[in-house]
Amino acid sequence: MSSKNPGSPNGSPRPDQTRAAVEAALARLDLAAKVALLGGTDMWSLDPAAARAEAGFGRLVFSDGPAGVRGEGWTPEDPSVALPSPTAVGATWDTEAARSAGRLLAQEARRKGAHVVLAPTINLHRTPYGGRHFEAYSEDPELTGVLGAALVAGVQEGGVGATPKHYVANDAETDRYTVDVRADGRTLRELYLAPFERVVRTARPWALMAAYNSVNGVTMSEHDVLVGGVLRGEWGFDGVLVSDWTGARSTVGCALGGLDLAMPGPDTVYGEHLVAAVREGRVAEETVDALARRVLLLAARVGVLGDVPPAVPAEALPAPLDGPATVRDLATRSFVLLRNQGAALPLAEGTAAPDAAPDAGAGAGAAPGAGDAPPGRRIAVSGLHASVPRFGGGGSSQVFPARVSTPLDALRAALPDGTELVYEPGPDPRTRLGPATHADGFRLTAVLHGLDDAELARADQRDGSVRWMGGLPGGASFSDLSRVELTGTFTPAWSGTHRLAVSGVGHFRLEAGERVLYDGELQPESEDPAAAFLNPPQRVFLLDAEAGARVPVRLVHSVSSHGVGGLFGLISFALGYGAPAVPEDELIDRAVREAASADTALVFVGTTDESESEGVDRDTLALPGRQDDLVARVAEANPRTVVVVNAGAPVLMPWRHDVAAVLLCWFPGQAGGDALADVLLGAAEPGGRLPTTWPDAEDDLPVRQVVPGPDGQLPYAEGPRIGYRAWRRAEGPQPAYWFGHGLGYTTWEYESLNITGRGPATPGDDPYAPVADVVVRVRNSGSRPGREVVQLYLGPDGADRRLAAFAVVQAAAGASAEARLTVPLRAVQAWDDTTLTWRPQPGPATFAAGRSAADIRLTAELELAVQG
């Protein structure tokens, strides 16, 4: 087939040509060959020999990718560009930013040899206790759906398949393999299905991932009602439904439930089991044809089906992006300025605007274009996150970048000559030891040994973390591997009792100097297979060593033939390190002394790998360790204290009224330090707005439950009201910061709200066709350029008011800008569980434009022409 086709300006094949090629390929396959298309060949790929020979099916490679593309390997020796966490992308409220993130993911996937990226995660922040919320965008289905659709469009414009996940109601981590979510139809339709519907209908993803959990008694890898009925029947999804890894449970159930691809391989519920089920009459061969047809279509779209040209030919790919520059820009757009008293930020001389309200922006007093702190000043920085930031979350979104910009290094480089910066880390909030690093005095090499004890390969290590998934250094085979030795030297910078740790699952032997510190077995602490590498057990051992004395170290891991957590093709363990301990009170005292004599005190706080990670939910929203004590003591010593919060989801801030400014940087990606320096010094504006409501106290939370009951069920008893809608319904305490809140370095006035109705519309129309056009005029009333996120809500003041549209505008000081928004039909509909249809909401629609869910500046009513 030619690489150019009539009627396709970009050279891509017409859909009818692609489908004809798919049918021709399918016709050449027998039952066994078709079934072989439905199960992974290994951890990350699909490479069925018969389909390759008979239909030209090339090797199809998947990769994790919510915040960076791993490729088939997962190791520091094969670095990836690390993007800001999806929650940070959510905080941009910027569809073009999300689209750019998608294009960068596609660019990275092509570089890594991957055809499909397992992203975006479009589950909702049902409650802040969800441990994996850093990997999802928001508590709101509209914001999540719009940004998710933009990211999918960006990925697929780059010729790479996107895989929105996890379909559906995978909103917590506790018992995620077995939990049965119980939710009524309205709750599912208006909340949890809504972002998937938006993405499927408007962005047409080429794949989708089924969740581990069950919904109303049926596991999602077998849920024909929500897959065949809703996803494919109502929404028209024609892509591949892939299981979450190890999430396919039964042969017949998955086949009849519409699961196209069971991952990983080579052993899955399909293969010979499905061939037998067809021959025994339990599954019709036509059902197998339907599954295989969709896998062939995916292969055609990404360009690995014979001579069928891909959906996006090389000449139509977007222009290459500068990865580091793109992630730096994304980070600055995501930072949320929660509080800024007395123009504490940016770190330049100035005073608050005359009309500045509490928690207002810096306003007229901020120097236009400020980018330098005045020379001769002294800045005291404290908190471990300044020097060891969390640039990304753990689990499926974790990648290893070539370089991570730390806030401490970036500030030192950006501050002008004459500005003194001092640093005290304060107490370590981590309960587990992190990997041993070069900075700690370690030089390590991983040596791989075969079954005959011969050396297979070796690789120099950047740190003590050994993690390979899907491939080994030097092309070594997992089937030949018997053990891995992490060997090298440790040269301590000071004398004392040092701590060494072993993290992992399996048998380990740790030697230091001439001592054997450990020789034994570490067992997983959870039944979740992923916990073996996401949250492995750790043992700590003491080692007395003198400063400058080189100590040989050796950690030997015997490789299990069963893999890690049942995942063959994965090696994951670490040598951890902790310096000789200093009393925490002394560490806080040191930080306080430096802050007391400084012009400004910067305190960096945040979550840790233990407190916020895939695989476990949170049991508290409090900052771990003694970080609250550190902030409180520094704030007492210096009224000009600025706190930077490095977390992927809400944390409690009992000191928030006692500090001058609070800046939220999320998990900002590899360029987070540089982006923070830009924002702190005023070279860039913090452009983000909260995608999730932040509570003031845990007892105030209207939705809390993440742990299923004894029957394994997790009831979504709150119905369709989570996040700001639940807070608006609740009586009593208010949240610390509402959904949509965020300040800047200027101020804004909302001048006018104009609505033009379209119509008439009926329930059968495209749910995302506009029923009204809205223009909101705003004016930058400050003295420097700024960025504003205009938010449009529909409904009366209360729990039923919900986000309908949003737009980002920019304006110079004193200038006005118009935010043009379209209201989709779905925004004025509600799901009726009696008739099982979408119904228009009664009465005239109340339009409310403002700066957050609680900060409404303009309202108007209009009767829309929407029929029942």
Side-chain angles (χ1 to χ4, degrees):
M1 185 178 289
S2 169
S3 62
K4 296 280 186 179
N5 293 279
S8 299
N10 65 0
S12 61
R14 295 195 308 264
D16 58 332
Q17 293 174 314
T18 298
R19 293 184 185 278
V22 166
E23 291 301 323
L26 183 65
R28 292 194 288 271
L29 304 178
D30 62 15
L31 174 62
K34 288 183 287 191
V35 167
L37 289 169
L38 310 181
T41 305
D42 52 32
M43 178 67 76
W44 296 115
S45 77
L46 178 60
D47 188 17
R52 185 189 324 117
E54 298 297 328
F57 191 104
R59 188 166 184 262
L60 180 61
V61 177
F62 293 79
S63 173
D64 270 323
V69 179
R70 291 176 180 162
E72 293 183 82
W74 186 20
T75 170
E77 286 65 49
D78 181 22
S80 304
V81 173
L83 282 72
S85 66
T87 307
V89 176
T92 69
W93 289 62
D94 189 329
T95 55
E96 286 307 308
R99 198 179 198 113
S100 293
R103 287 182 170 179
L104 182 56
L105 290 174
Q107 179 175 299
E108 280 284 280
R110 295 195 306 270
R111 181 177 70 84
K112 293 267 191 172
H115 305 101
V116 181
V117 172
L118 304 177
T121 301
I122 53 173
N123 300 114
L124 298 183
H125 297 184
R126 176 175 167 263
T127 166
Y129 286 109
R132 198 176 180 179
H133 282 348
F134 58 83
E135 198 181 304
Y137 293 122
S138 168
E139 69 185 25
D140 182 80
E142 175 70 8
L143 180 59
T144 297
V146 170
L147 294 180
L151 186 128
V152 167
V155 171
Q156 296 186 171
E157 286 165 359
V160 173
T163 313
K165 59 182 185 177
H166 309 82
Y167 187 74
V168 62
N170 182 185
D171 310 297
E173 295 295 281
T174 303
D175 296 343
R176 61 179 178 162
Y177 279 78
T178 58
V179 65
D180 180 14
V181 170
R182 296 287 170 147
D184 61 38
R186 183 186 175 197
T187 299
L188 287 172
R189 292 282 186 160
E190 293 187 7
L191 282 186
Y192 302 101
L193 289 171
F196 287 95
E197 181 181 16
R198 162 79 77 160
V199 170
V200 168
R201 287 186 184 269
T202 65
R204 298 294 174 188
W206 299 343
L208 202 77
M209 181 185 287
Y212 288 127
N213 56 278
S214 296
V215 174
N216 295 330
V218 182
T219 183
M220 282 309 305
S221 57
E222 304 175 16
H223 211 306
D224 182 55
V225 172
L226 292 180
V227 173
V230 176
L231 178 63
R232 300 197 189 280
E234 294 183 27
W235 303 347
F237 176 64
D238 66 353
V240 164
L241 182 67
V242 60
S243 72
D244 204 339
W245 265 229
T246 73
R249 316 296 172 83
S250 74
T251 301
V252 174
C254 288
L256 299 183
L259 185 74
D260 301 303
L261 182 58
M263 291 295 288
D267 297 323
T268 75
V269 297
Y270 286 154
E272 61 184 18
H273 310 292
L274 183 53
V275 171
V278 172
R279 289 175 176 163
E280 294 165 5
R282 292 179 290 138
V283 175
E285 187 164 353
E286 291 77 9
T287 298
V288 173
D289 288 348
L291 306 180
R293 183 179 290 114
R294 289 189 286 264
V295 175
L296 289 167
L297 177 58
L298 175 61
R301 283 168 164 165
V302 301
V304 294
L305 184 63
D307 60 356
V308 181
V312 183
E315 60 269 24
L317 293 173
L321 293 171
D322 181 327
T326 300
V327 297
R328 183 171 180 167
D329 178 65
L330 280 170
T332 59
R333 291 172 184 261
S334 75
F335 296 164
V336 181
L337 184 60
L338 296 175
R339 175 180 172 85
N340 196 22
Q341 292 291 89
L345 292 179
L347 295 177
E349 289 181 331
T351 58
D355 60 347
D359 285 3
D372 293 327
R377 297 183 67 190
R378 189 170 192 272
I379 297 174
V381 178
S382 60
L384 187 68
H385 287 76
S387 58
V388 189
R390 292 198 72 188
F391 65 86
S396 299
S397 64
Q398 182 182 6
V399 295
F400 298 100
R403 173 183 177 270
V404 175
S405 166
T406 72
L408 189 61
D409 289 343
L411 281 169
R412 282 173 171 158
L415 287 169
D417 292 341
T419 300
E420 182 185 5
L421 186 151
V422 294
Y423 174 58
E424 286 290 343
D428 191 335
R430 299 170 297 186
T431 58
R432 295 165 58 92
L433 298 183
T437 68
H438 287 186
D440 298 322
F442 288 84
R443 297 294 183 269
L444 300 169
T445 299
V447 183
L448 293 74
H449 291 269
L451 300 175
D452 59 359
D453 209 37
E455 181 177 317
L456 300 177
R458 61 174 51 216
D460 291 335
Q461 293 288 117
R462 293 170 53 182
D463 60 25
S465 175
V466 177
R467 184 164 288 176
W468 303 308
M469 181 182 287
L472 292 174
S477 170
F478 279 97
S479 60
D480 295 334
L481 187 65
S482 68
R483 73 178 191 276
V484 178
E485 294 185 7
L486 191 61
T487 182
T489 60
F490 166 46
T491 308
W494 47 79
S495 302
T497 301
H498 301 259
R499 291 164 290 161
L500 299 182
V502 178
S503 301
V505 171
H507 187 273
F508 295 92
R509 178 182 174 92
L510 175 62
E511 303 170 2
E514 298 180 355
R515 293 178 57 200
V516 176
L517 300 182
Y518 181 66
D519 191 347
E521 197 89 10
L522 293 179
Q523 297 293 336
E525 299 171 349
S526 166
E527 295 181 0
D528 185 337
F533 63 95
L534 294 177
N535 302 287
Q538 183 179 84
R539 290 283 302 274
V540 178
F541 309 94
L542 302 181
L543 175 68
D544 292 327
E546 299 296 324
R550 183 174 298 178
V551 180
V553 292
R554 180 171 175 260
L555 176 61
V556 183
H557 173 46
S558 301
V559 177
S560 168
S561 60
H562 302 292
V564 178
L567 294 175
F568 185 75
L570 169 66
I571 300 295
S572 180
F573 68 95
L575 173 66
Y577 172 73
V582 177
E584 291 185 337
D585 285 338
E586 181 179 337
L587 293 171
I588 292 175
D589 288 343
R590 291 177 184 177
V592 171
R593 284 195 296 270
E594 296 291 358
S597 60
D599 297 284
T600 299
L602 288 176
V603 187
F604 287 79
V605 299
T607 57
T608 64
D609 289 340
E610 309 98 88
S611 63
E612 192 180 5
S613 175
E614 178 181 348
V616 291
D617 287 315
R618 303 165 71 185
D619 56 12
T620 177
L621 303 185
L623 287 169
R626 295 190 60 189
Q627 295 181 94
D628 287 334
D629 292 341
L630 175 65
V631 174
R633 291 280 311 281
V634 169
E636 287 178 358
N638 191 324
R640 201 172 175 85
T641 293
V642 175
V643 181
V644 178
V645 181
N646 183 193
V651 296
L652 301 180
M653 298 178 287
W655 33 258
R656 65 188 182 91
H657 293 302
D658 302 321
V659 299
V662 181
L663 179 68
L664 173 59
C665 73
W666 309 105
F667 299 151
Q670 67 182 51
D674 294 326
L676 267 170
D678 291 341
V679 168
L680 290 170
L681 298 178
E685 180 175 11
R689 303 294 184 266
L690 285 181
T692 298
T693 304
W694 281 46
D696 202 30
E698 293 187 76
D699 289 343
D700 300 342
L701 280 169
V703 180
R704 302 185 63 177
Q705 185 178 1
V706 293
V707 178
D711 55 2
Q713 296 181 7
L714 178 60
Y716 283 15
E718 69 280 355
R721 296 187 178 97
I722 63 171
Y724 63 93
R725 294 173 68 187
W727 282 98
R728 296 297 295 266
R729 186 183 189 187
E731 297 181 0
Q734 296 294 289
Y737 299 105
W738 284 93
F739 172 81
H741 172 72
L743 309 173
Y745 291 158
T746 188
T747 54
W748 293 88
E749 293 183 3
Y750 279 58
E751 297 182 327
S752 63
L753 168 64
N754 294 301
I755 312 164
T756 303
R758 299 194 192 187
T762 66
D765 289 344
D766 176 1
Y768 303 104
V771 295
D773 298 299
V774 178
V775 178
V776 180
R777 186 176 179 84
V778 295
R779 184 172 64 85
N780 181 347
S781 54
S783 62
R784 59 177 282 159
R787 175 183 188 271
E788 176 69 339
V789 178
V790 177
Q791 304 163 40
L792 182 70
Y793 297 83
L794 280 186
D797 185 15
D800 289 324
R801 175 176 284 174
R802 57 188 179 183
L803 184 70
F806 56 92
V808 175
V809 297
Q810 299 183 64
S816 295
E818 289 185 342
R820 297 184 175 273
L821 309 103
T822 58
V823 177
L825 172 61
R826 185 64 87 230
V828 295
Q829 293 177 312
W831 179 258
D832 188 326
D833 269 338
T834 301
T835 61
L836 302 180
T837 57
W838 290 97
R839 295 286 191 185
Q841 300 193 45
T846 302
F847 294 76
R851 307 196 72 242
S852 78
D855 186 1
I856 300 301
R857 302 297 178 90
L858 300 168
T859 59
E861 288 190 350
L862 181 70
E863 189 76 48
L864 298 175
V866 179
Q867 300 175 7

